[in-house]
Amino acid sequence: MFCLKVPTDPGWVVEAMRDVDAVLRDHAHCEMKAASNALSLAARHPRDVALLRALTDLAREEIDHFQQVLAILEERGIDLGSPPVDEYAAALRRASSSLPRDPAIPVVVDRLLVAALIEARSCERFKLLVDALAPLEGPNDLHALYKELFAAEARHYRTFVDLATAAADGDEARVTARLEALAEREGAIVQSLAQGATRATVHG
């Protein structure tokens, strides 16, 4: 899907369906972190009006998604709890920093591409949840939720890639090459995490 090099291990969706409450709790935190990351990026680039508008619009949508998931948690009587450490996102950011830098590409491009990859992985996993939830009988609010958010994550992925290209003065070839290199690292991270205990988290 998109630029991803490694598919999610099939065991992930099995574990996710076994503990949907844990997925929802983790998902809520992921939406809040995504909003925070978008605002952090915006704050670092106050002179780029187009970037500011795009990122603050995206942050607003992420907060809306957080509130959607929070409402479901409340309905199910589940506390949000403390935010867990996202080993996947942390490893991806470290991988980005360790890649040899291309002096023609601003640092912000890497931050935008890391965000794009996170959105791509979330999108892939939401599609797995959509497919797993579809056959369930009775009211299925979660199926509707993840179907909606699957499409949203796809849009966010495209937004971040487009913003990265704009930040690189439209040099699509360089941005694509950088994204490919980061995607290779992302795939290795996903494989490494899959070797441990599969967790009912969005990026576990």
Side-chain angles (χ1 to χ4, degrees), residues 16-168:
M17 291 299 291
R18 185 179 292 131
D19 195 352
V20 173
D21 290 350
V23 174
L24 287 166
R25 186 183 290 115
D26 182 69
H27 179 186
H29 283 296
C30 286
E31 297 290 1
M32 189 180 290
K33 289 174 185 176
S36 177
N37 181 62
L39 291 175
S40 174
L41 275 169
R44 290 170 180 260
H45 302 278
R47 296 181 180 179
D48 190 333
V49 176
L51 184 67
L52 284 171
R53 288 190 183 280
L55 289 173
T56 51
D57 283 347
L58 196 146
R60 185 184 298 112
E61 189 172 2
E62 300 287 18
I63 287 296
D64 286 345
H65 294 165
F66 167 76
Q67 291 180 336
Q68 283 180 266
V69 181
L70 186 64
I72 292 174
L73 287 172
E74 188 175 14
E75 288 173 5
R76 296 166 78 100
I78 305 165
D79 291 333
L80 178 60
S82 301
V85 175
D86 192 335
E87 296 177 17
Y88 164 83
L92 187 52
R93 292 186 181 102
R94 287 195 300 270
S96 168
S97 299
S98 69
L99 276 175
R101 287 222 51 79
D102 181 343
I105 295 182
V107 174
V108 67
V109 170
D110 271 9
R111 290 199 64 184
L112 291 165
L113 292 180
V114 164
L117 281 163
I118 292 172
E119 297 287 347
R121 183 59 66 182
S122 299
C123 184
E124 182 226 20
R125 293 192 171 179
F126 289 173
K127 180 61 167 63
L128 293 175
L129 288 172
V130 168
D131 292 344
L133 289 162
L136 300 183
E137 296 181 1
N140 197 345
D141 291 342
L142 292 184
H143 180 261
L145 171 74
Y146 282 107
K147 189 174 181 180
E148 176 188 345
L149 297 190
F150 161 71
E153 302 299 278
R155 290 198 315 274
H156 295 174
Y157 164 80
R158 188 68 256 167
T159 295
F160 278 119
V161 173
D162 289 346
L163 289 174
T165 303

Side-chain angles (χ1 to χ4, degrees), residues 9-20 128-129 132 198-200:
D9 186 283
W12 178 84
V13 75
V14 174
E15 184 62 29
M17 291 299 291
R18 185 179 292 131
D19 195 352
V20 173
L128 293 175
L129 288 172
T198 304
R199 299 177 301 156

